[in-house]
mmCIF file of all heavy atoms in Angstrom:
data_model
loop_
_atom_site.group_PDB
_atom_site.id
_atom_site.type_symbol
_atom_site.label_atom_id
_atom_site.label_comp_id
_atom_site.label_asym_id
_atom_site.label_seq_id
_atom_site.Cartn_x
_atom_site.Cartn_y
_atom_site.Cartn_z
ATOM 1 N N GLY R 163 5.534 11.597 -15.914
ATOM 2 C CA GLY R 163 6.739 12.407 -15.966
ATOM 3 C C GLY R 163 7.932 11.614 -16.473
ATOM 4 O O GLY R 163 8.019 10.411 -16.290
ATOM 5 N N ARG R 164 8.827 12.289 -17.118
ATOM 6 C CA ARG R 164 10.017 11.632 -17.646
ATOM 7 C C ARG R 164 10.895 11.154 -16.497
ATOM 8 O O ARG R 164 11.179 11.905 -15.569
ATOM 9 C CB ARG R 164 10.771 12.622 -18.522
ATOM 10 C CG ARG R 164 11.940 12.036 -19.192
ATOM 11 C CD ARG R 164 12.559 13.032 -20.116
ATOM 12 N NE ARG R 164 13.756 12.429 -20.692
ATOM 13 C CZ ARG R 164 14.490 13.010 -21.591
ATOM 14 N NH1 ARG R 164 14.161 14.203 -22.031
ATOM 15 N NH2 ARG R 164 15.549 12.423 -22.054
ATOM 16 N N ASN R 165 11.316 9.901 -16.571
ATOM 17 C CA ASN R 165 12.174 9.297 -15.553
ATOM 18 C C ASN R 165 11.565 9.347 -14.155
ATOM 19 O O ASN R 165 12.268 9.535 -13.168
ATOM 20 C CB ASN R 165 13.555 9.933 -15.557
ATOM 21 C CG ASN R 165 14.283 9.685 -16.863
ATOM 22 O OD1 ASN R 165 14.182 8.603 -17.437
ATOM 23 N ND2 ASN R 165 14.978 10.690 -17.344
ATOM 24 N N MET R 166 10.274 9.223 -14.072
ATOM 25 C CA MET R 166 9.605 9.216 -12.771
ATOM 26 C C MET R 166 9.512 7.798 -12.238
ATOM 27 O O MET R 166 9.145 6.878 -12.957
ATOM 28 C CB MET R 166 8.196 9.793 -12.871
ATOM 29 C CG MET R 166 7.421 9.659 -11.573
ATOM 30 S SD MET R 166 5.812 10.396 -11.693
ATOM 31 C CE MET R 166 6.246 12.008 -11.109
ATOM 32 N N LYS R 167 9.866 7.648 -10.977
ATOM 33 C CA LYS R 167 9.721 6.368 -10.303
ATOM 34 C C LYS R 167 8.875 6.615 -9.059
ATOM 35 O O LYS R 167 9.078 7.596 -8.352
ATOM 36 C CB LYS R 167 11.081 5.792 -9.930
ATOM 37 C CG LYS R 167 11.896 5.438 -11.162
ATOM 38 C CD LYS R 167 13.218 4.828 -10.812
ATOM 39 C CE LYS R 167 13.962 4.488 -12.103
ATOM 40 N NZ LYS R 167 15.242 3.862 -11.846
ATOM 41 N N LEU R 168 7.927 5.722 -8.830
ATOM 42 C CA LEU R 168 6.968 5.902 -7.756
ATOM 43 C C LEU R 168 6.694 4.563 -7.096
ATOM 44 O O LEU R 168 6.473 3.564 -7.786
ATOM 45 C CB LEU R 168 5.671 6.460 -8.359
ATOM 46 C CG LEU R 168 4.544 6.864 -7.453
ATOM 47 C CD1 LEU R 168 4.937 8.095 -6.645
ATOM 48 C CD2 LEU R 168 3.307 7.177 -8.277
ATOM 49 N N ASN R 169 6.729 4.525 -5.753
ATOM 50 C CA ASN R 169 6.419 3.312 -4.995
ATOM 51 C C ASN R 169 5.155 3.556 -4.172
ATOM 52 O O ASN R 169 5.091 4.528 -3.415
ATOM 53 C CB ASN R 169 7.564 2.952 -4.052
ATOM 54 C CG ASN R 169 8.813 2.556 -4.806
ATOM 55 O OD1 ASN R 169 8.751 1.792 -5.753
ATOM 56 N ND2 ASN R 169 9.952 3.097 -4.403
ATOM 57 N N VAL R 170 4.193 2.664 -4.337
ATOM 58 C CA VAL R 170 2.924 2.780 -3.622
ATOM 59 C C VAL R 170 2.669 1.481 -2.858
ATOM 60 O O VAL R 170 2.686 0.399 -3.451
ATOM 61 C CB VAL R 170 1.757 3.052 -4.599
ATOM 62 C CG1 VAL R 170 0.435 3.140 -3.848
ATOM 63 C CG2 VAL R 170 2.008 4.315 -5.410
ATOM 64 N N ALA R 171 2.449 1.598 -1.558
ATOM 65 C CA ALA R 171 2.085 0.436 -0.742
ATOM 66 C C ALA R 171 0.576 0.286 -0.778
ATOM 67 O O ALA R 171 -0.158 1.273 -0.675
ATOM 68 C CB ALA R 171 2.558 0.623 0.695
ATOM 69 N N VAL R 172 0.114 -0.939 -0.928
ATOM 70 C CA VAL R 172 -1.318 -1.228 -0.941
ATOM 71 C C VAL R 172 -1.597 -2.197 0.203
ATOM 72 O O VAL R 172 -0.964 -3.249 0.294
ATOM 73 C CB VAL R 172 -1.769 -1.837 -2.284
ATOM 74 C CG1 VAL R 172 -3.261 -2.146 -2.269
ATOM 75 C CG2 VAL R 172 -1.419 -0.906 -3.443
ATOM 76 N N PHE R 173 -2.534 -1.817 1.067
ATOM 77 C CA PHE R 173 -2.882 -2.640 2.219
ATOM 78 C C PHE R 173 -4.346 -3.057 2.118
ATOM 79 O O PHE R 173 -5.233 -2.210 2.066
ATOM 80 C CB PHE R 173 -2.676 -1.872 3.534
ATOM 81 C CG PHE R 173 -1.281 -1.358 3.715
ATOM 82 C CD1 PHE R 173 -1.031 0.004 3.803
ATOM 83 C CD2 PHE R 173 -0.208 -2.226 3.784
ATOM 84 C CE1 PHE R 173 0.255 0.485 3.970
ATOM 85 C CE2 PHE R 173 1.087 -1.762 3.948
ATOM 86 C CZ PHE R 173 1.317 -0.396 4.040
ATOM 87 N N GLY R 174 -4.585 -4.341 2.066
ATOM 88 C CA GLY R 174 -5.936 -4.886 2.137
ATOM 89 C C GLY R 174 -6.196 -5.202 3.598
ATOM 90 O O GLY R 174 -5.493 -6.027 4.189
#
Side-chain angles (χ1 to χ4, degrees):
R164 184 175 177 176
N165 296 322
M166 174 178 268
K167 294 182 179 181
L168 186 68
N169 294 315
V170 179
V172 179
F173 303 118

